[in-house]
Amino acid sequence: MSSRWKKFWADFWSNKTRSILTILTIGVGVFTVGFSSNLRFYMNESMDSDFLSSSPSEATVYASPMNEDSVKIAREVAGVDAGGRSQHDRCKVNPPW
């Protein structure tokens, strides 16, 4: 056994508390880096699927002034879901493709 390994084992066994704390610290660090990396991938995938499950609109049309006749006409157009009247009238476009 070379003198390098003799010194390593002598230091390792002479201060067992420091050795165990060093090994635990390295283990926790490796676990944390892996956990954070995997969590980032999971969060990106999860946020994409949550966003797409909410049926996001492709376009929002702001028109003013709109009266009830204009809203009624918009509701009759195929592929358009007219939103409720509020401060702004909103229509959600659902293309047939």
Side-chain angles (χ1 to χ4, degrees), residues 8-25:
F8 169 78
W9 287 114
D11 289 345
F12 184 78
W13 290 114
S14 67
N15 195 343
K16 293 179 185 168
T17 305
R18 181 183 66 191
S19 300
I20 291 172
L21 287 176
T22 303
I23 292 170
L24 285 174
T25 302

Side-chain angles (χ1 to χ4, degrees), residues 12-83:
F12 184 78
W13 290 114
S14 67
N15 195 343
K16 293 179 185 168
T17 305
R18 181 183 66 191
S19 300
I20 291 172
L21 287 176
T22 303
I23 292 170
L24 285 174
T25 302
I26 292 170
V28 167
V30 169
F31 172 78
T32 303
V33 168
F35 182 79
S36 298
S37 177
N38 287 332
L39 185 62
R40 179 176 58 94
F41 290 127
Y42 172 75
M43 290 295 290
N44 284 339
E45 181 181 308
S46 177
M47 287 182 355
D48 286 343
S49 65
D50 287 346
F51 176 72
L52 293 175
S53 71
S54 69
S55 299
S57 60
E58 297 293 326
T60 303
V61 178
Y62 296 99
S64 71
M66 283 190 76
N67 55 18
E68 290 300 322
D69 294 332
S70 300
V71 173
K72 188 183 295 185
I73 291 170
R75 286 188 178 133
E76 293 173 359
V77 175
V80 174
D81 296 332

